[in-house]
Amino acid sequence: SKMSNDEEKAQTTVGDIEEWLEVLFESEGLVLSEHRIEDSEQKSWAIGTEHEHIGVVLIINDTDPTMIFLEIDSVLGEMPKNNLLPFYRKCLELNYSLFNGSITLLGAQVWYVQQQYIENINESKLASMFAEQLSNTEKLYEVLSNEFDML
């Protein structure tokens, strides 16, 4: 019997993701193991950005072993105290231009988040997610902090 295309290509594993992340980090001059978040339940890593208060966190969420996904998060800042409606509107408009991620609110914090099931990730997809996280974090921070008093 002929195998379906899905069965022919090997399923992406958590090990694959870690291996590819190692390569990605190396290309940025970083050592993956040095960025591991030790007390996390999940495999996760944190790196800094050009802005002191903005970091990027990568999490392999395996809470449900049948639906393992990679999440990449950046906290852009605190929600502004004033002008909330224009702020929400701006966030929604910006979301339209973000193909693989979105701006969201967690508590009073403004986050830019990408999520993808690991079965849909290959090495080049991971590289583009990583690059997009860094460049979009930068862009979104500039746009939002120029217009609103985000801390």
Side-chain angles (χ1 to χ4, degrees):
S1 68
K2 245 177 40 194
M3 281 203 290
S4 75
N5 285 339
D6 276 354
E7 287 167 328
E8 279 172 24
K9 71 171 177 61
Q11 204 64 1
T12 299
T13 65
V14 169
D16 293 332
I17 299 285
E18 285 188 88
E19 215 170 283
W20 300 334
L21 281 176
E22 225 164 290
V23 173
L24 269 178
F25 272 53
E26 271 170 24
S27 71
E28 298 280 327
L30 304 171
V31 179
L32 185 67
S33 58
E34 291 173 7
H35 292 268
R36 181 80 190 259
I37 302 172
E38 292 302 342
D39 55 0
S40 169
E41 309 251 312
Q42 260 111 21
K43 288 188 171 170
S44 50
W45 300 268
I47 57 169
T49 64
E50 286 172 32
H51 298 285
E52 249 172 66
H53 62 287
I54 299 180
V56 174
V57 176
L58 301 99
I59 302 158
I60 297 175
N61 188 319
D62 58 1
T63 315
D64 175 354
T66 63
M67 303 293 261
I68 300 174
F69 64 91
L70 175 70
E71 182 170 320
I72 314 181
D73 301 329
S74 308
V75 178
L76 300 173
E78 297 283 316
M79 247 166 42
K81 302 273 181 278
N82 309 310
N83 295 335
L84 274 181
L85 279 178
F87 176 74
Y88 290 148
R89 182 185 179 98
K90 186 69 177 181
C91 287
L92 286 172
E93 288 171 350
L94 287 166
N95 268 345
Y96 182 69
S97 66
L98 300 170
F99 286 97
N100 300 310
S102 56
I103 301 168
T104 187
L105 304 173
L106 287 166
Q109 289 183 317
V110 184
W111 293 53
Y112 167 60
V113 176
Q114 290 187 79
Q115 294 176 314
Q116 185 64 256
Y117 290 115
I118 68 167
E119 67 197 38
N120 298 328
I121 301 176
N122 58 25
E123 192 167 6
S124 66
K125 171 75 179 162
L126 182 63
S128 68
M129 284 177 77
F130 187 71
E132 259 176 57
Q133 190 73 24
L134 295 175
S135 70
N136 282 339
T137 293
E138 194 67 34
K139 268 188 277 200
L140 295 169
Y141 175 76
E142 295 304 332
V143 170
L144 290 171
S145 63
N146 280 339
E147 214 168 308
F148 301 95
D149 54 343
M150 286 171 50
L151 301 171

